[in-house]
Amino acid sequence: MSTAFTSDITGAVVDSLEGTADPRLREVLGALVRHLHDFVRETEPTMAEWESAIAFLTATGQTCTDTRQEFILLSDVLGVSMLVETLNADRAGTGATESTVLGPFHLTESPVRELGADIDLVGSGEPCVVSGRVRSADGTPVPGAVLDVWQASAEGYYDVQQPGVQPPGNGRGLFTADAEGRFWFRTCVPSPYPIPTDGPVGDLLRATGRHPYRPAHIHFIVSAEGHAPVTTHIFVAGSDHLDSDAVFAVKKSLVQDFDETDDPSLAREFGVPNPFRQARFDLVLNPERS
Amino acid sequence: MSTAFTSDITGAVVDSLEGTADPRLREVLGALVRHLHDFVRETEPTMAEWESAIAFLTATGQTCTDTRQEFILLSDVLGVSMLVETLNADRAGTGATESTVLGPFHLTESPVRELGADIDLVGSGEPCVVSGRVRSADGTPVPGAVLDVWQASAEGYYDVQQPGVQPPGNGRGLFTADAEGRFWFRTCVPSPYPIPTDGPVGDLLRATGRHPYRPAHIHFIVSAEGHAPVTTHIFVAGSDHLDSDAVFAVKKSLVQDFDETDDPSLAREFGVPNPFRQARFDLVLNPERS
């Protein structure tokens, strides 16, 4: 049902944005108003439903702290983060490693570490070596590429979720690829874990009958001069929940084997007990568009 | 630009809602996901823009307190509150007094007052008598109708905005119409006032070159057994900003004269100094649908 007033109000709000100094802000806000009003007109919320929505958004904002970002989590479980990330990656062109979501746990700076360092400071999980090469789309290595790496512990928690249990920086490292673009570091094999469910986003998942689990993964942001950065994960092949990630972030090309390796001399070289798990993959960047 | 992944993700998120126990919640969330993704696909936000949006929503939630509701204010300045309110009123049928927004200041219970009482506890403004009758759509009076009334002071602030300056309950009253549906109370003539601009919504108004003012008005929620309640304002004819209300809440039928009245005996009857301002209007409710 729609009266003259309810069809005019959208135009009135869009018109009120005419004085916006930044043309891009005006464009985005105008589109927001149109789509938001379309949603309201389609669903015709009762006043009680509107009040529930206000209360939900308020609680989501108030759940955020220095170490927790519930609005990013909401964006994640609604597939918005993944859509934004992918549209941006598409704009950067094909050829690079596919992107996926940043996630809500990239809140602290990763500590600078030497190649080969162990980011598992508590030694809780199955030892693992991650290695590969950062390449440009044409195959040439990218020396000095920077890899920002973070992952949850073998128990499924990030350092910021367990202050006092995990030392700050556990599971995190900022690595610089060598002169041939190579990188390698030690860690534990990550585990699937639930996103935090003790806030409004948890209530939403329960109400929709959705599980909160993410398949096992390691986060990467790879950047290098003259190249477009890539924000991605590497997922552990065979992990649970690869087909039902709570945040819709799995892309097939990002799933990698973490093979059991029995090679005493390689184990000695990397400084891990034999046998160990090993993941080897290249990370590919596109040259920056001029 | 749209790849297979970015078109599939919307379907994947909508499908993930299949287990929602409440069919109405499933319908609303499905529509939310579709419209939100359409907005993202149309505007293709950069990651920095997405981060700004997350930061804005977070700040909006964190600005809310027991006496301030910044998300309602955001809903108001985007015209969403007014759209929801009007769609609900349309559903209740025509004939009743038109509705308008609740606004963010209906946070405390209005004190019960006798008909004729003065809700201006500080005596700051121009004395005024508000009176009329609550009628059903067919013209019959509605005895015992309840009128929840609230307004800002002559300086343009609600009691909850000025604890320590205004006594709690200033500008508020809960009245019961008499056996003929009549109501009358004293107050001061309200003034136009700016909505709060020291939070994220104020930043939004400044960025869009919009003023924050609302034309002078008194809020009413009128309810009675067997009738659909009406949430509305009465606006003061001739007030500034009637054509550019910051929250898009003005409807022509809600603008009423607040006439200067020179009538010593009427002034004595109402207990106000002569001359005084007077607003007289009926409030009309629709019978509840069975």
Side-chain angles (χ1 to χ4, degrees), chain A residues 46 59 62 70 96 102 127 230 258 273:
Chain A
T46 64
Q62 300 203 334
E70 193 81 357
L102 178 67
V230 167
F258 281 60

Side-chain angles (χ1 to χ4, degrees), chain B residues 85-165:
Chain B
E85 179 58 47
T86 303
L87 287 167
N88 278 277
D90 289 354
R91 208 153 39 195
T94 52
T97 297
E98 286 197 283
S99 63
T100 189
V101 296
L102 178 68
F105 293 115
H106 191 252
L107 292 159
T108 55
E109 284 194 25
S110 299
V112 173
R113 301 195 196 278
E114 296 296 316
L115 289 169
D118 196 345
I119 65 172
D120 177 12
L121 307 181
V122 294
S124 62
E126 206 176 345
C128 169
V129 173
V130 176
S131 65
R133 196 184 282 262
V134 181
R135 291 191 286 106
S136 193
D138 66 0
T140 54
V142 182
V146 174
L147 298 97
D148 189 348
V149 178
W150 68 107
Q151 71 168 67
S153 68
E155 283 74 40
Y157 294 102
Y158 290 86
D159 57 350
V160 292
Q161 294 178 285
Q162 294 191 308
V165 175

Side-chain angles (χ1 to χ4, degrees), chain B residues 14-66:
Chain B
V14 170
D15 288 349
S16 79
L17 304 170
E18 262 171 28
T20 306
D22 176 349
R24 171 63 177 163
L25 181 64
R26 180 175 165 188
E27 175 193 0
V28 171
L29 287 176
L32 175 68
V33 168
R34 282 188 284 102
H35 287 285
L36 198 53
H37 284 212
D38 282 349
F39 164 63
V40 169
R41 262 189 289 266
E42 179 181 328
T43 55
E44 294 198 358
T46 64
M47 292 312 294
E49 289 171 343
W50 173 82
E51 281 167 23
S52 297
I54 294 287
F56 181 86
L57 291 168
T58 303
T60 300
Q62 299 204 331
T63 302
C64 297
T65 66
D66 286 349

